Amino acid sequence: MVPVWIDGALKKSLRYSPERRHQDISELVYELQHPNEKYLEVGFRPLADRDPLLFWKVVAGTLLLTQLLSLYFLL
């Protein structure tokens, strides 16, 4: 996996508008070597990462519900 701050630096360097890209290659190299604080902010994390126990409870409950529904319709 690529760290979030490296992904952010690469996205900035590949932007379509030249004004929004890095002005010099040294800026890109610096951002690749030193994490930029604004790229470290992660807005959304999946439920499995935030609360794995709740995630597996939801998965187990969904499986139980589907099994009970299929049993009901088969009988």
Side-chain angles (χ1 to χ4, degrees):
M1 290 186 64
V2 177
V4 176
W5 56 276
I6 290 180
D7 191 40
L10 291 175
K11 283 181 182 177
K12 182 177 179 180
S13 66
L14 297 173
R15 288 186 177 157
Y16 183 74
S17 174
E19 299 86 31
R20 299 181 65 204
R21 287 187 222 147
H22 294 101
Q23 297 302 316
D24 192 21
I25 191 69
S26 61
E27 292 178 16
L28 173 62
V29 171
Y30 181 80
E31 279 197 1
L32 290 176
Q33 293 174 348
H34 302 89
N36 191 338
E37 294 296 324
K38 70 179 179 180
Y39 299 138
L40 293 176
E41 299 171 1
V42 178
F44 174 76
R45 287 185 17 205
L47 180 61
D49 289 341
R50 285 180 287 162
D51 192 359
L53 183 62
L54 179 63
F55 171 75
W56 287 111
K57 285 181 181 180
V58 169
V59 169
T62 304
L63 289 173
L64 177 66
L65 182 64
T66 57
Q67 292 295 315
L68 290 175
L69 284 173
S70 66
L71 182 65
Y72 174 75
F73 286 117
L74 286 176
L75 297 177

